[in-house]
Amino acid sequence: TASALLCRQFPGLVAFMSDEAMLESGLFARTSEIKYDMKTFGRFNELVQGKARALNALAGRATWTGDDIGRALWARRVLEGAGPTPAA
């Protein structure tokens, strides 16, 4: 997807939209609900960029990017063994 390419070039501006990260973020309850469109990208990206800004404010320095948050969400989902929710 476009986000896969853009997040490598602009990690502070663009996060990769993985199924796991979007499910773990709470935007969707199951994989079958996920939409890969600009509206969904905007919602997801703003959520993870906002979390990165909040963590950076707490840390007092810019250490987190939105892509880092997306990766953390992905890792949590995978490590908990949930994986992608089966389509209904």
Side-chain angles (χ1 to χ4, degrees):
T1 65
S3 69
L5 298 173
L6 292 171
C7 73
R8 295 296 141 240
Q9 188 66 28
F10 308 103
L13 299 174
V14 177
F16 176 61
M17 290 175 64
S18 68
D19 287 352
E20 294 83 1
M22 287 198 291
L23 291 167
E24 195 64 30
S25 74
L27 289 177
F28 300 96
R30 52 185 346 116
T31 305
S32 62
E33 298 172 355
I34 296 174
K35 294 181 174 134
Y36 283 91
D37 57 21
M38 286 302 293
K39 182 178 177 182
T40 303
F41 170 74
R43 289 176 53 213
F44 175 73
N45 200 55
E46 184 53 40
L47 186 142
V48 295
Q49 299 298 344
K51 180 55 81 175
R53 284 190 295 273
L55 288 172
N56 288 334
L58 286 172
R61 62 184 186 276
T63 351
W64 288 90
T65 67
D67 194 50
D68 292 334
I69 302 299
R71 288 171 182 248
L73 290 169
W74 177 88
R76 180 177 173 176
R77 185 92 180 168
V78 170
L79 291 172
E80 286 180 346
T85 305

